[in-house]
Amino acid sequence: MSSADAGDDLYSLNAAKLMMPGSTMKVVTLAAAAELLGWDHRFETRIVSSAPLDDGVLRGDLVIVGSGDPSISERGDMPGTLRAIARRVRDAGVARIEGGVIGDDDLFDDNGFGDGWTLDNLPYGYAATVSALEYNEGSVDLVIQAGTTAGDPVAIQVRPDGSGLHVDNRLVTVAEPGTGALRLRRLPGSSRLVVEGQIPAKAAPFVRTASVDNPTGFFASAFRAALTAEGITVNGDAADIDDFLTKPDRTAARVLVSHVSLPLRDIAASMMRVSQNQYAEALLRSIGGRDKAVNVLKGWGLANDSYVIADGSGLSRYNYVSSEALVRILRRMRTDPKHESPFSESLPIAGRDGPLSKRLAGTPAEGRVRAKTGTVDNARAITGYAQTVGGELLIFSILANNFTVPPGTIDAAADNAILRLTAFTR
């Protein structure tokens, strides 16, 4: 823990020890991405075709070229719904497509998993594979509706359409009030999603997210449906460009529609406040991967042995970082004028929003702390800035691993430490 204003260290315990950071790894990813891309960076998704357009008829395929934009989704407030993009294709004069809709994800390699992601995580939306052509964060919502009495079937609605998932519903309704449990199972490369568990009778409907097997195919299929919904006839099927033995020649392709994302500063705020893993993974790939992030950290003077980068999101248990390294990164973000405001504003506020909406609420720390939390099995972390009663800004990083007490006990200890920081005076 150190002062961002005075630059001196106030307290240190095992600060150089490598620890699993959980989602506080997103601090590292965002800092490197902001340095290399800039806060005004926007992702461009292009709708192109090499086929002639004759009197409203496109005499061939429509190709969607991805740039790694993670924000095209039906969730949240990002302005990237597929219907809106499809409407622009219609406005460009396309009334019928004689070919199909092809998703081009070649900007990224096809290994969409982070190193060390575990098999039991992969069916869930938070562990969806990452593609250069990403829709709905590569996942769908499963809307779960229990029956009214024990033994009744449980209904599952999958939204949006086009995921390619085949749901094997093994959920059962149990007596009210019962103990609820839900588990997802799906193997990589398979579209069969097993949903099993028990839901108490008359339980209110709820939503769980599930990853799709092929995010690029999901995008293409959903976009084909959006084109149809906007009155455009599509004769061909939706396909991933990797489905072709010989990939379509785009050398003479012209851009029909260009969709540009919000700037990185807005994407970052969304990523950090909901701890969105796929956003972080897309950012790491967009800057060129781990080696590029390492080069940034080296340029800031961080020692090679103070971090290990396995993925961008923190889902992997192969990530390691010292609290000292995190504090140095936060100090860099604070002291560099181009980073200070957008980075700080991306962090959740204690007692107000994101994962911190309930933590430290109603205490003197509410509204005075901006921080990123991290959680994986047997790891809890919180890293950020705290404003003292005297107006001084302090930087802190608290990492805990391999504990046997309940996670809430760790959080309570961290919160007590943060309260001490906000009450600190010289």
Side-chain angles (χ1 to χ4, degrees):
M1 301 175 187
S2 66
S3 171
D5 299 328
D8 57 333
D9 291 333
L10 302 178
Y11 179 82
S12 176
L13 177 65
N14 297 325
K17 187 173 184 178
L18 290 174
M19 306 283 279
M20 285 184 294
S23 280
T24 53
M25 196 69 191
K26 293 181 176 73
V27 167
V28 181
T29 303
L30 178 57
E35 180 73 6
L36 293 175
L37 300 176
W39 293 101
D40 294 325
H41 176 79
R42 296 174 185 260
F43 295 92
E44 180 189 19
T45 302
R46 294 177 294 128
I47 315 298
V48 308
S49 183
S50 300
L53 180 60
D54 298 328
D55 196 23
V57 179
L58 187 67
R59 307 288 184 183
D61 296 320
L62 193 71
V63 181
I64 318 152
V65 184
S67 67
D69 182 358
S71 65
I72 299 176
S73 177
E74 306 303 324
R75 302 187 181 111
D77 55 1
M78 291 295 182
T81 64
L82 293 189
R83 283 288 295 270
I85 301 172
R87 194 172 305 122
R88 293 180 60 198
V89 173
R90 184 194 65 197
D91 294 342
V94 179
R96 180 161 65 91
I97 300 171
E98 288 188 340
V101 176
I102 301 172
D104 182 347
D105 60 0
D106 283 351
L107 182 66
F108 296 167
D109 64 37
D110 289 330
N111 179 20
F113 299 112
D115 285 356
W117 287 13
T118 59
L119 191 64
D120 53 345
N121 282 335
L122 299 185
Y124 297 89
Y126 61 80
T129 58
V130 176
S131 164
L133 201 59
E134 192 85 1
Y135 170 58
N136 228 44
E137 297 96 46
S139 63
V140 295
D141 291 338
L142 305 177
V143 184
I144 313 294
Q145 174 66 70
T148 56
T149 59
D152 285 350
V154 177
I156 301 178
Q157 177 193 358
V158 181
R159 64 186 189 197
D161 295 330
S163 67
L165 291 174
H166 302 286
V167 177
D168 182 353
N169 183 357
R170 300 183 183 180
L171 292 174
V172 296
T173 303
V174 296
E176 179 194 14
T179 301
L182 185 147
R183 186 163 74 101
L184 305 182
R185 289 191 290 114
R186 185 178 64 80
L187 294 175
S190 172
S191 61
R192 178 171 172 265
L193 175 70
V194 178
V195 186
E196 56 190 4
Q198 54 190 32
I199 311 298
K202 299 181 182 179
F206 62 95
V207 175
R208 292 291 182 270
T209 61
S211 64
V212 303
D213 177 51
N214 183 342
T216 302
F218 180 34
F219 194 117
S221 178
F223 191 58
R224 186 185 184 281
L227 291 167
T228 300
E230 289 299 322
I232 301 174
T233 301
V234 184
N235 293 348
D237 295 328
D240 183 334
I241 198 168
D242 294 327
D243 294 338
F244 296 86
L245 293 177
T246 301
K247 294 187 178 182
D249 183 5
R250 295 196 287 103
T251 54
R254 66 195 182 284
V255 178
L256 300 177
V257 170
S258 172
H259 169 74
V260 179
S261 74
L262 291 175
L264 177 60
R265 66 183 67 241
D266 294 298
I267 289 174
S270 180
M271 177 183 90
M272 299 295 265
R273 289 177 182 170
V274 300
S275 202
Q276 222 299 323
N277 290 343
Q278 283 61 46
Y279 280 38
E281 297 300 335
L283 288 185
L284 185 63
R285 286 162 174 77
S286 294
I287 64 174
R290 291 176 290 188
D291 289 346
K292 297 295 185 181
V294 167
N295 288 340
V296 170
L297 300 181
K298 285 182 178 179
W300 291 344
L302 272 74
N304 290 342
D305 60 358
S306 66
Y307 57 87
V308 177
I309 301 175
D311 69 8
S313 63
L315 182 60
S316 173
R317 297 179 68 83
Y318 294 170
N319 290 305
Y320 290 97
V321 66
S322 68
S323 58
E324 182 179 61
L326 287 170
V327 166
R328 291 192 65 176
I329 291 170
L330 264 67
R331 178 177 286 115
R332 175 75 188 202
M333 293 291 101
R334 168 68 180 178
T335 57
D336 191 327
K338 70 176 179 286
H339 294 312
E340 178 184 3
S341 177
F343 182 83
S344 177
E345 290 175 1
S346 75
L347 297 174
I349 303 173
R352 302 283 176 82
D353 59 13
L356 291 181
S357 60
K358 295 182 180 179
R359 286 185 67 171
L360 297 165
T363 73
E366 180 175 345
R368 306 179 71 89
V369 174
R370 286 183 176 269
K372 183 72 193 76
T373 56
T375 304
V376 291
D377 289 343
N378 297 112
R380 304 289 284 189
I382 183 166
T383 297
Y385 304 105
Q387 193 84 39
T388 72
V389 291
E392 187 175 359
L393 189 70
L394 304 180
I395 306 172
F396 65 90
S397 180
I398 304 172
L399 308 176
N401 284 183
N402 303 321
F403 46 81
T404 57
V405 298
T409 303
I410 303 297
D411 289 345
D415 290 351
N416 284 335
I418 294 169
L419 281 168
R420 291 285 297 273
L421 290 181
T422 57
F424 175 78
T425 59
R426 295 279 179 177

